[in-house]
Amino acid sequence: SSEVLEAIENVIQGVLQSLAQKKAPVLTVANRTDWRNIEFKDSVGLQMIPGCTTKQIRSDCPQSARRFALMLKILSMIYKMVQSNTYATKRDIYYSDTLLFGSQSVVDQIINDISCMLKIPRRSLHVLSTTKGFVAGNLSYTEEDGTKVNCTCSATAVTVPSNVQGIKNLTSHAKFILIVEKDATFQRLLDDDFFSKVSPCIMITGRGIPDLNTRLLVRKLWDSFQIPIFTLMDADPHGVEIMCVYKYGSVSMSFEAHHLTVPSVKWLGLLPSDLKRLNICKDALIPFTKQDENKLASIQKRPYIACQPLWKKELEIMAASKLKAEIQVLTSVSSDYLSRVYLPNKLQFGGWL
């Protein structure tokens, strides 16, 4: 915490020095959305390059003066929280003054900018993000406040903890981890008692694009157990994008890649080649939109696809057919086909990429 306080004090000292010299204070942040600032490393995923381009948030410029003020406001809130050892969610910060901040996304972006500027992970800034992910299966752990959580005996899923860093005593006999894109599929597998029928496993869903805590938990489970991690996604560009976030990370959070990515993640399904192999009726598939075409084209150009020839092939099949499919399409074969046939066969015969 002294490191965090010192980093914030250095920023404020810079602002005061500028004022003393009668200069307009400026905050310098890395340009987090520019692909030119990102390098791809097989062992880490997408990470920010050391000498990346920056942008200045000036206090004397009408376009950025408001943002400059909001950054100082949030820095002061973080400073107080670290000093008093209290925590707040991004939502709490937004609701402390909704008129001032204007929207939740403004708060989210500024917190990420501050984290990147100070080179300090968000959790160390005492800012928690609200969790939307769920975990179930063969896993138990102790939360930071001493609460014991057992995901094995619960018929319903457990919410991913909001302070993943603080959980300890993780125990599991799981043979693998299954990341499920959608809540509906996750619930279906839970109802079918999938995680105890095939072999003990841990199931996680980020319910779409995963939040920070879900990604941190996947990484923590990988560090703790070193067991295979499989993904079950829709056979569409959006599903592929989500899988890439777990495996390689995202451009906007590339400055924290080391804590968030798991490059060993495997693509279990739904593969575009599965649709032909299983004779899925064309009527059950959904035609691409223009947005899907653009998204797929952008994914195909990314640096990590070049080192994944089998993924590349699957994306080419998808691009050629211009058709996409949700995991639910498997119910057109039979209602419990996913948990009874599809997943057990894939896991037994190594049907992943």
Side-chain angles (χ1 to χ4, degrees):
S1 62
S2 59
E3 192 187 315
V4 182
L5 296 176
E6 195 183 327
I8 296 173
E9 284 160 11
N10 289 341
V11 171
I12 302 306
Q13 208 171 354
V15 170
L16 293 174
Q17 272 167 356
S18 297
L19 291 170
Q21 293 161 5
K22 299 204 167 18
K23 287 182 188 162
V26 168
L27 295 175
T28 306
V29 296
N31 207 338
R32 290 187 298 114
T33 52
D34 191 340
W35 272 91
R36 288 170 299 186
N37 283 335
I38 310 297
E39 63 178 356
F40 168 63
K41 244 179 136 182
D42 230 358
S43 57
V44 183
L46 300 175
Q47 61 177 9
M48 201 165 253
I49 57 172
C52 67
T53 60
T54 55
K55 56 182 180 188
Q56 291 194 325
I57 297 167
R58 302 188 61 85
S59 58
D60 62 346
C61 164
Q63 283 87 0
S64 61
R66 177 179 153 75
R67 195 171 186 83
F68 179 90
L70 292 181
M71 279 186 83
L72 289 191
K73 166 75 176 166
I74 291 178
L75 276 168
S76 78
M77 292 173 86
I78 290 169
Y79 193 86
K80 280 179 197 151
M81 289 192 298
V82 175
Q83 262 186 331
S84 59
N85 196 23
T86 53
Y87 288 82
T89 64
K90 293 185 301 181
R91 211 160 171 69
D92 295 334
I93 291 174
Y94 168 59
Y95 278 110
S96 70
D97 199 333
T98 53
L99 278 175
L100 176 72
F101 294 120
S103 77
Q104 180 72 59
S105 64
V106 167
V107 172
D108 297 356
Q109 281 172 3
I110 287 176
I111 287 164
N112 285 342
D113 276 342
I114 288 172
S115 174
C116 185
M117 177 176 74
L118 302 178
K119 295 186 170 50
I120 289 169
R122 197 164 73 192
R123 299 160 305 291
S124 305
L125 302 176
H126 286 227
V127 178
L128 305 171
S129 53
T130 26
T131 298
K132 63 184 179 101
F134 288 131
V135 58
N138 196 294
L139 174 70
S140 59
Y141 55 85
T142 309
E143 287 197 358
E144 198 179 25
D145 62 359
T147 311
K148 287 184 169 55
V149 178
N150 188 348
C151 307
T152 317
C153 59
S154 126
T156 55
V158 173
T159 308
V160 167
S162 59
N163 191 353
V164 174
Q165 223 54 10
I167 66 173
K168 47 190 186 291
N169 308 330
L170 286 90
T171 52
S172 176
H173 304 294
K175 297 283 183 279
F176 62 92
I177 295 162
L178 182 65
I179 300 171
V180 183
E181 177 186 349
K182 281 188 179 150
D183 193 23
T185 311
F186 181 86
Q187 295 298 340
R188 180 68 211 240
L189 291 171
L190 209 58
D191 294 344
D192 291 349
D193 204 14
F194 173 77
F195 63 79
S196 55
K197 271 184 188 159
V198 179
S199 67
C201 74
I202 299 166
M203 293 197 318
I204 290 184
T205 180
R207 299 163 78 194
I209 295 171
D211 58 282
L212 198 66
N213 295 327
T214 304
R215 290 172 63 188
L216 283 167
L217 183 62
V218 171
R219 175 66 200 227
K220 187 151 188 139
L221 293 173
W222 163 249
D223 288 338
S224 306
F225 306 123
Q226 301 277 312
I227 51 177
I229 301 181
F230 301 114
T231 56
L232 181 62
M233 306 279 150
D234 287 342
D236 66 8
H238 190 62
V240 175
E241 173 88 280
I242 289 169
M243 173 170 59
C244 292
V245 168
Y246 283 108
K247 188 175 173 76
Y248 296 122
S250 60
V251 174
S252 63
M253 293 299 286
S254 57
F255 65 94
E256 259 205 76
H258 290 268
H259 308 285
L260 294 172
T261 60
V262 186
S264 60
V265 161
K266 302 277 186 283
W267 188 2
L268 186 69
L270 188 62
L271 302 177
S273 59
D274 287 340
L275 303 174
K276 196 172 177 188
R277 186 174 60 82
L278 299 171
N279 282 326
I280 301 291
C281 166
K282 275 258 170 79
D283 297 345
L285 306 178
I286 308 157
F288 261 26
T289 61
K290 189 75 192 127
Q291 205 180 355
D292 291 325
E293 283 182 45
N294 295 342
K295 166 79 77 187
L296 183 56
S298 112
I299 293 170
Q300 286 176 302
K301 289 193 196 98
R302 290 190 194 162
Y304 44 68
I305 297 299
C307 67
Q308 288 282 1
L310 297 174
W311 282 32
K312 201 173 166 200
K313 221 170 168 176
E314 292 293 332
L315 298 184
E316 281 162 7
I317 293 171
M318 199 190 289
S321 73
K322 289 196 174 159
L323 292 168
K324 56 184 182 177
E326 296 186 326
I327 299 161
Q328 284 86 332
V329 79
L330 295 176
T331 54
S332 67
V333 184
S334 76
S335 64
D336 58 352
Y337 188 79
L338 176 67
S339 57
R340 190 175 51 84
V341 183
Y342 182 82
L343 288 174
N345 282 353
K346 283 244 166 187
L347 292 161
Q348 190 180 344
F349 301 113
W352 57 81
L353 307 177

